[in-house]
C-alpha cells in the first residue's frame, strides 16, 4: 500500500532552508530511498520522492506565510534533476505509470498555482543537468535560471531515448507557456543531449543564465525581486499541517477519518465517501482560522478528502465508482465556509480556498465514475455542493426521510459556487455545466442561498434526476450495477471527454491531450514491449521498432 | 491498396437527388459492398462507404452552386444509419482503425465546414434509428430532425456495447456544440437503447421532431429556411471534379500526377513530395476559374495533394517522414493564387480556398513527420508557403544553386498566409507559430510580398534553420536518418502535442483529446482482446473485463 504521510523530519530526498522571504528547496535524492527495487541515481525520482515534494509545496503555503519566493535547486553538484527513474518506469504496471504521472502533474500544477495565486513564486535555479522530468520540474516554475558552465543542459530526451513522451507537461509548457516555436521545440525534444545555456536562453527554454561564479547572486536577486511583488504578510505565524492522512485509519473496508469516511463495496466496485459537516463553532475570520489551524472543519476536511482521493486512486484501482455523499447540518456548513467570502483576502483563507480548488480538481481528473447521492441528512452546501457539480451523475432523493432523525436532503448553492473554486478549464463547475446556456446559468445563480427541494433542483438543472423515495434504493443500485458492468477503460475515456467543455488551458491540455497520448504510448510495444525502448535503455542493445505509423 | 477514386456513376451506397436549392443525400448501404469480408447490414459503414460520402460532399460544393441546403437521410425504411460496421472494426488492424476514424472525422468536419462557410447547410433528416456513428453523422449537420414514431432513437451505444468511445466526435459535439449537460450526456452515452424523439428534443440531442406523416414537410421547410440564408449563386454552373487521384499513377516507388509527385525512399522511411508550380496562364477571376475548372493549377494541385496525403496515410504506413518540396516559378504561383484575395467573395474561389484549408488541415493531423526543404528551384509562395509553416521542421538552403538551371531557393509570404487558410485551432499557421509573440508575428506580416533569402527567413523565424550549401546534403540526410531511428509512436505523440498551441476548438478536441483516448482504448484488452467487447459483441457471450482503473 502506498502511503502519502510525510513531514520534514522524515524527508529522505529533500532539504528546505529558510531565509526570510526566500526559501530554498534542494533535491538530493537518496539513491537507496526508492519505493521499489531500483536505485534512484543522479537525482532521479519515483513516487516517494514526489510525495515529499508535494508535502513541501503544501507546508510552504500553509506553515510559512513569510515565504514569498521559493528557489528550487539541485542539492547534488552539477545535477539539478534527471527526471523520473527509468528502471522504476520500466518495471511498473501500466496503472502505476499513469497514476504516477497524474500525481506528479498535479504537484507541478500546484507549484504553478502557488506562483500565480499564493504570492509564493517558485524559481528554478538549475545548477546542473535538468533532463526530462527534471527540466519539466523547472518548467513548472515561474522563472528558470540555468547555470552557464559549458556542460549543464536542459533536455527532454524521452522521445529519442525512451520512446515515450515527457510525462509531466513538458511539451505543452514549452510551446504554450514559454512560447517556444514549435519547430525549435521539435528539435529540442528529439535532441537527447539537450541544449546548453546560451542556446537555451536564445530559444526561450530558460529565462536567465549565469556563470557558476555569479549563479547564486543572480538567483538571489531574482528571488528577491519576485518576493517584493508578493502580498503575503511579512510577519505572523502559519498553521502546522499534520502528516497527510494522519487522522485516517485505513482498512480493507475503506478508511475512517474525522470528517471523511470511505466504505468499499467490492461486489459493486464502489466506494461510498461520506463527507461530514462541522460540529461546534468554526473560525469566522482569517486570524481565527490561524488560531484554529487544522482543528477547523474547512481545513481538516479538505486535507482528509485529498488523502482519501489519493488513497483510492493508488490503492484501490478496482473500485471504479466513487459515491459522494454528505452528512450534517447544512447551516453549519454554510456558516463554516462563509469565511471564504467574508475574509477572502486573508492569506490563510485564500490558501484554504486554493486547497479546496486543487482537491476538487483532483476529483475532476480522477479516472473513476463520480456519482453524487443527495440523500436525507445531507448537507450539500457551498464547497460541498461542488461535489454535486463535479459528479458524472447527481441523484436527489425526493420524498420524506424514512427516519425521523434525518432531515430532508439538502442542496444549497452559495457564493462560493459562483467562481471561487474554478475547474482546470478556468470556469466554475456551474459555468461548465451550463456551457453555452447563459440563461440557465443565470437562473442557477439566482438560486444562490436558497435551499432547493428535489424538484426545484431538477428544474434548476443542478442535478441529473430527482428520484421518488419509493424508487430510490432500486434505481440507485441498478445504476451502480450497470456502471460496474462497463469497461473501465471506456468509462475513463468517456468521463475524460465529457467533464471538460469549453475553453482549454495548460492544465486541461496536459491532462487530456498529453496524458491520453502518453497512456496510448505506454501500451505500445515500441515503448514497453520486450524489445521496446524502456526495457532496452541502458542495456547497450537498441530497441526494435515496428515502423508502422497509425 | 485502398483507392479513393469514385464518382456518382459508381456509388454503391448513396443516392443524391437534386431539387433546386435543396439536395437530398440518401444512405442506402449495399450490404455486400464492403471493402472487406463482412456484411454492411442496416446502413452500417466502412471506409468505402465513407469515401463515397466524401466524394458527395466535395461534388456538392464544386459542381452544384445552386444547392444551398443538403438533406442527409436514410434510404432504408426506419433506418438512418447504424454507425461503423462492428465486424469491420473487430477485424481491422489498429492502424486501419485509427486511419479510418481520422478520415471519417475529416469528412464530418468537412460537412460542418460546408454549413459554416460555403452557404450549403447540411440537415440531418433522421428517418429512423441513428446509432453510434449514425448519430455522429447527424451531429455533424447544422440541424437534426428526428422522426417521432415511438420507435426510432438516437444513441451512442459504443461504451456499453463495444467498450470503445464514439469515434467521430460524438461526445465532444454533444457537450461542446449542442451544449447538452454533461450528466445527461453521460446518461445518454451509456444507454445502449438510446433516446426517443421527445426526450431527445428535451435534452438537446436534436433540434426538431416530427411524426411520420409530417416528417417530409418539416424537413423540407427547414431545408428551405436554411437555403434562404445562403449566399450561393442562384444560377450558373459549377466545375466538374475528376475522380480523386484520376491524374495520378501510383506505383511501388510513389506516385506521379500533374502537379504533385511522390518518391519513396524506403531505407530512409521517407517520401519526397514535390509540388510543382503552374505553367501557362491561370484564371484571374472567379468566372475564369469556372471556365478553367480542374485545368486550373489552384484546383488541380489541391486535389492532387489531397489524394497524395490519403494515399500515403493509408497505403504507406511505414513511410514515417514526408519531405515537402516545391519546384517552379515563384511569380507564377503568386499570380495563380492572387485570385484567392482579388476575387475572394466569388463562390468558387471561396470553395477553392476552403479546399486548400481542409487539405492543409489533413496535413496537420497526419501522423507523419513533416520536413520542408526549401531548395534551389523552389517556389514556396503563399499557399505553398503554408507547407513551410505546417512542417515540424523547415530547412532552407543557403548558397548558390549548383546547377545554373535552378534559381535560388524561394520563400515568399503573401496575404494568403495572413489568415486565409486557418488551422483547426482557428488560427493562421503564422499566428500559431508565433503564439504569444505578437511582435515577431507582426514582423513576419511586414515581410509579406518580399522574397526572403535564407538569412532573412531565419531572422524572421519562418524557417527552422538556414543550412550552408556545403553542409546541406549531409545535414539533411543525417536529420532524416535520425528521425527514422525514433519510435513512430513517440513521434506521433510528440507531433500531435506540438502542432496545436493556443486555443482549442471542436476539431482540435476531436483530433487531440478524443482520438488519443480512442487510440489508447483501441489498444486495451477490454476492447480488443480475445475476450474484449469488440470480439464478443454479437456472439452471445459477455466480454470479460479487467476491472482495474488507471
Amino acid at each position: 500500500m502506498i502511503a502519502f504521510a510525510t513531514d520534514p523530519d522524515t524527508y529522505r530526498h529533500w532539504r528546505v532552508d529558510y531565509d526570510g522571504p526566500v526559501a530554498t528547496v534542494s533535491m538530493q535524492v537518496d539513491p537507496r530511498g526508492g519505493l521499489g527495487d531500483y536505485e534512484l541515481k543522479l537525482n532521479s525520482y519515483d513516487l516517494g520522492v514526489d510525495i515529499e515534494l508535494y508535502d513541501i509545496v503544501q507546508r510552504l503555503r500553509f506553515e510559512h506565510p513569510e515565504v514569498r519566493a521559493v528557489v528550487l535547486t539541485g542539492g547534488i553538484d552539477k545535477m539539478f534533476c534527471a527526471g523520473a527513474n527509468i528502471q522504476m518506469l520500466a518495471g511498473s504496471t501500466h496503472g502505476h505509470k499513469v497514476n504516477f504521472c497524474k500525481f506528479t502533474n498535479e504537484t507541478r500544477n500546484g507549484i504553478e498555482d502557488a506562483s500565480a495565486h499564493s504570492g509564493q513564486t517558485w524559481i528554478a535555479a538549475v545548477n546542473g543537468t535538468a533532463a526530462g522530468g527534471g527540466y519539466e520540474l523547472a518548467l513548472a516554475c515561474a522563472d528558470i535560471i540555468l547555470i552557464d558552465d559549458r556542460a549543464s543542459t536542459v533536455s527532454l530526451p524521452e522521445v529519442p531515448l525512451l520512446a515515450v513522451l515527457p510525462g509531466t507537461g513538458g511539451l505543452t509548457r514549452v510551446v504554450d507557456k514559454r512560447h517556444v516555436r514549435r519547430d525549435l521545440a521539435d528539435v529540442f525534444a528529439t535532441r537527447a543531449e539537450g541544449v546548453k545555456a546560451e542556446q537555451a536562453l536564445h530559444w526561450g527554454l530558460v529565462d536567465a543564465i549565469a556563470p557558476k561564479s555569479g549563479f547564486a547572486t543572480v538567483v538571489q536577486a531574482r528571488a528577491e525581486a519576485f518576493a517584493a511583488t508578493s502580498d503575503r504578510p511579512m510577519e505572523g505565524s502559519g498553521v502546522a499541517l499534520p502528516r497527510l492522512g494522519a487522522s485516517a485509519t485505513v482498512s480493507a473496508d475503506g478508511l475512517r477519518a474525522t470528517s471523511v469516511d470511505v466504505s468499499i463495496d467490492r461486489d459493486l466496485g464502489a466506494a461510498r465517501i461520506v463527507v461530514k459537516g462541522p460540529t461546534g463553532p468554526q473560525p469566522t475570520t482569517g486570524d481565527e482560522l490561524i488560531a484554529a489551524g487544522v482543528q477547523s472543519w474547512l481545513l481538516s476536511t479538505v486535507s482528509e478528502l485529498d488523502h482519501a482521493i489519493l488513497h483510492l486512486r493508488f490503492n484501490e484501482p478496482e473500485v471504479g465508482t466513487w459515491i459522494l455523499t454528505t452528512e450534517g447540518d447544512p447551516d453549519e456548513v454554510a456558516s463554516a465556509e462563509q469565511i471564504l467570502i467574508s475574509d477572502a483576502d486573508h492569506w490563510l483563507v485564500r490558501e484554504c480556498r486554493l486547497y479546496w480548488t486543487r482537491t476538487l480538481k483532483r476529483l475532476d481528473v480522477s479516472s473513476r465514475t463520480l456519482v453524487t447521492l443527495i440523500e436525507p441528512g445531507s448537507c450539500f452546501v457551498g464547497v460541498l455542493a461542488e461535489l454535486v457539480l463535479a459528479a458524472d451523475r447527481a441523484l436527489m432523493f425526493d420524498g420524506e426521510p424514512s427516519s425521523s432523525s434525518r432531515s430532508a436532503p439538502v442542496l444549497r448553492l452559495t457564493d462560493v459556487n459562483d467562481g471561487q473554486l474554478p475547474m482546470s478549464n478556468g470556469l466554475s463547475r456551474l459555468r461548465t455545466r451550463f456551457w453555452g446556456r447563459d440563461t440557465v446559468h443565470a437562473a442557477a445563480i439566482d438560486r444562490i442561498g436558497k435551499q432547493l427541494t428535489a424538484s426545484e433542483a431538477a428544474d434548476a438543472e443542478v442535478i441529473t434526476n430527482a428520484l421518488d423515495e419509493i424508487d430510490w434504493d432500486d434505481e440507485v443500485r441498478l445504476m451502480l450495477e450497470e456502471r460496474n458492468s462497463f469497461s473501465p477503460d471506456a468509462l475513463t475515456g468517456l468521463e475524460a471527454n465529457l467533464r471538460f467543455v469549453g475553453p482549454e488551458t495548460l492544465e486541461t491540455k496536459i491532462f487530456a491531450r498529453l496524458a491520453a497520448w502518453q497512456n496510448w504510448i505506454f501500451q505500445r510495444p515500441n515503448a514497453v514491449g520486450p524489445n521496446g525502448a524502456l526495457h532496452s535503455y541502458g542495456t547497450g542493445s537498441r530497441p526494435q521498432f515496428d515502423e508502422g505509423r497509425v
Side-chain angles (χ1 to χ4, degrees), chain A residues 268-329:
Chain A
L268 212 51
R272 174 180 280 261
I273 301 172
V274 186
V275 181
K276 290 178 255 179
T279 51
Q282 297 295 320
T284 57
T285 67
D287 289 340
E288 286 179 25
L289 185 62
I290 293 179
V294 292
Q295 301 305 313
S296 72
W297 177 83
L298 213 47
L299 192 44
S300 67
T301 303
V302 69
S303 170
E304 291 183 355
L305 191 56
D306 188 16
H307 171 257
I309 292 169
L310 291 174
H311 169 69
L312 288 172
R313 264 201 208 160
F314 277 93
N315 298 316
E316 297 288 356
E318 302 205 346
V319 175
T321 302
W322 295 351
I323 303 165
L324 304 167
T325 68
T326 57
E327 272 177 18
D329 181 333

Side-chain angles (χ1 to χ4, degrees), chain A residues 226-369:
Chain A
F226 280 109
T229 68
S230 172
D231 62 355
R232 287 173 80 88
M234 296 299 240
E235 48 197 36
S237 60
V239 300
L241 293 183
R243 292 159 64 92
L244 191 64
S247 58
T249 311
V250 173
S251 72
D253 298 332
L255 68 81
R256 300 250 165 280
T258 310
S259 308
V260 176
D261 283 353
V262 178
S263 338
I264 294 175
D265 179 336
R266 296 197 187 275
D267 289 340
L268 212 51
R272 174 180 280 261
I273 301 172
V274 186
V275 181
K276 290 178 255 179
T279 51
Q282 297 295 320
T284 57
T285 67
D287 289 340
E288 286 179 25
L289 185 62
I290 293 179
V294 292
Q295 301 305 313
S296 72
W297 177 83
L298 213 47
L299 192 44
S300 67
T301 303
V302 69
S303 170
E304 291 183 355
L305 191 56
D306 188 16
H307 171 257
I309 292 169
L310 291 174
H311 169 69
L312 288 172
R313 264 201 208 160
F314 277 93
N315 298 316
E316 297 288 356
E318 302 205 346
V319 175
T321 302
W322 295 351
I323 303 165
L324 304 167
T325 68
T326 57
E327 272 177 18
D329 181 333
D331 292 332
E332 298 272 359
V333 178
S335 161
E337 62 137 50
Q338 177 57 30
I339 191 176
L340 295 175
I341 302 291
S342 62
D343 204 2
D345 294 335
H346 187 279
W347 75 272
L348 184 60
V349 175
R350 178 172 70 185
E351 282 310 328
C352 204
R353 178 176 61 74
L354 291 170
Y355 193 9
W356 274 95
T357 300
R358 294 192 303 278
T359 303
L360 290 163
K361 285 184 189 180
R362 267 213 218 280
L363 205 54
D364 294 330
V365 299
S366 290
S367 61
R368 299 293 193 282
T369 296

Side-chain angles (χ1 to χ4, degrees), chain A residues 416-535:
Chain A
V416 166
N417 304 113
D418 189 16
Q420 297 298 308
L421 305 166
M423 294 175 62
S424 57
N425 62 4
L427 305 177
S428 71
R429 284 179 188 76
L430 266 183
R431 183 67 78 178
T432 299
R433 183 173 185 83
F434 301 126
W435 179 243
R437 302 173 71 213
D438 292 349
T439 317
V440 186
H441 178 258
I445 296 295
D446 275 347
R447 314 242 183 162
I448 280 177
K450 296 183 185 129
Q451 203 113 309
L452 302 176
T453 65
S455 67
E456 285 168 341
D459 283 350
E461 300 196 37
V462 290
I463 59 169
T464 312
N465 277 122
L467 291 181
D468 194 86
E469 57 185 305
I470 299 170
D471 304 324
W472 178 262
D473 287 345
D474 285 351
E475 292 215 22
V476 167
R477 180 149 198 104
L478 211 64
M479 192 257 286
L480 295 171
E481 282 173 353
E482 186 191 60
R483 200 76 177 185
N484 194 38
S485 74
F486 297 150
S487 158
D489 307 328
L491 288 177
T492 293
L494 173 75
E495 291 150 7
N497 275 282
L498 294 181
R499 286 181 187 168
F500 306 92
V501 302
E504 301 265 343
T505 64
L506 264 184
E507 287 187 20
T508 64
K509 285 184 179 191
I510 288 168
F511 286 120
R513 189 165 63 182
L514 174 75
W517 282 110
Q518 183 80 307
N519 284 3
W520 173 68
I521 289 166
F522 276 160
Q523 292 286 306
R524 300 277 290 173
N526 285 341
V528 298
N531 300 315
L534 274 180
H535 288 290

Side-chain angles (χ1 to χ4, degrees), chain A residues 67-380:
Chain A
V67 171
R68 302 152 76 92
V70 182
V71 174
L72 177 64
T73 194
I76 300 180
D77 188 40
K78 294 183 183 151
M79 177 54 71
F80 179 74
C81 168
N85 186 271
I86 294 160
Q87 274 180 281
M88 177 278 292
L89 281 178
S92 295
T93 62
H94 180 70
H96 183 78
K97 280 201 282 285
V98 172
N99 265 314
F100 166 73
C101 287
K102 190 173 285 176
F103 180 80
T104 53
N105 269 310
E106 288 172 316
T107 303
R108 279 135 198 80
N109 293 348
I111 287 173
E112 284 185 331
D113 181 56
S115 296
H117 301 122
S118 287
Q120 203 167 64
T121 305
W122 283 65
I123 295 145
V126 183
N127 59 301
T129 293
Y135 177 53
E136 288 177 298
L137 200 48
L139 281 168
C141 296
D143 194 49
I144 307 177
I145 305 143
L146 173 58
I147 196 163
D148 184 4
D149 60 2
R150 295 165 192 278
S152 296
T153 57
V154 295
S155 65
L156 292 176
E158 287 86 345
V159 168
L161 293 188
L162 305 173
V164 299
L165 301 182
T168 38
L171 300 176
T172 307
R173 284 200 177 86
V174 164
V175 292
D176 262 287
K177 178 181 180 181
R178 299 197 59 91
H179 305 145
V180 175
R181 247 171 47 212
R182 52 169 284 215
D183 53 347
L184 293 181
D186 181 284
V187 172
F188 175 58
T190 52
R191 185 183 284 185
E193 69 273 24
V195 169
K196 290 181 196 168
E198 268 190 45
Q199 192 160 35
L201 183 64
H202 183 60
W203 286 6
L205 298 166
V206 304
D207 297 288
I209 61 177
K212 190 166 185 181
S213 57
F215 189 69
T217 313
V218 170
V219 169
Q220 182 67 20
R222 294 177 79 97
E224 285 172 8
F226 280 109
T229 68
S230 172
D231 62 355
R232 287 173 80 88
M234 296 299 240
E235 48 197 36
S237 60
V239 300
L241 293 183
R243 292 159 64 92
L244 191 64
S247 58
T249 311
V250 173
S251 72
D253 298 332
L255 68 81
R256 300 250 165 280
T258 310
S259 308
V260 176
D261 283 353
V262 178
S263 338
I264 294 175
D265 179 336
R266 296 197 187 275
D267 289 340
L268 212 51
R272 174 180 280 261
I273 301 172
V274 186
V275 181
K276 290 178 255 179
T279 51
Q282 297 295 320
T284 57
T285 67
D287 289 340
E288 286 179 25
L289 185 62
I290 293 179
V294 292
Q295 301 305 313
S296 72
W297 177 83
L298 213 47
L299 192 44
S300 67
T301 303
V302 69
S303 170
E304 291 183 355
L305 191 56
D306 188 16
H307 171 257
I309 292 169
L310 291 174
H311 169 69
L312 288 172
R313 264 201 208 160
F314 277 93
N315 298 316
E316 297 288 356
E318 302 205 346
V319 175
T321 302
W322 295 351
I323 303 165
L324 304 167
T325 68
T326 57
E327 272 177 18
D329 181 333
D331 292 332
E332 298 272 359
V333 178
S335 161
E337 62 137 50
Q338 177 57 30
I339 191 176
L340 295 175
I341 302 291
S342 62
D343 204 2
D345 294 335
H346 187 279
W347 75 272
L348 184 60
V349 175
R350 178 172 70 185
E351 282 310 328
C352 204
R353 178 176 61 74
L354 291 170
Y355 193 9
W356 274 95
T357 300
R358 294 192 303 278
T359 303
L360 290 163
K361 285 184 189 180
R362 267 213 218 280
L363 205 54
D364 294 330
V365 299
S366 290
S367 61
R368 299 293 193 282
T369 296
L370 305 174
V371 174
T372 298
L373 299 182
I374 308 168
E375 299 165 312
S378 69
C379 54
F380 287 103

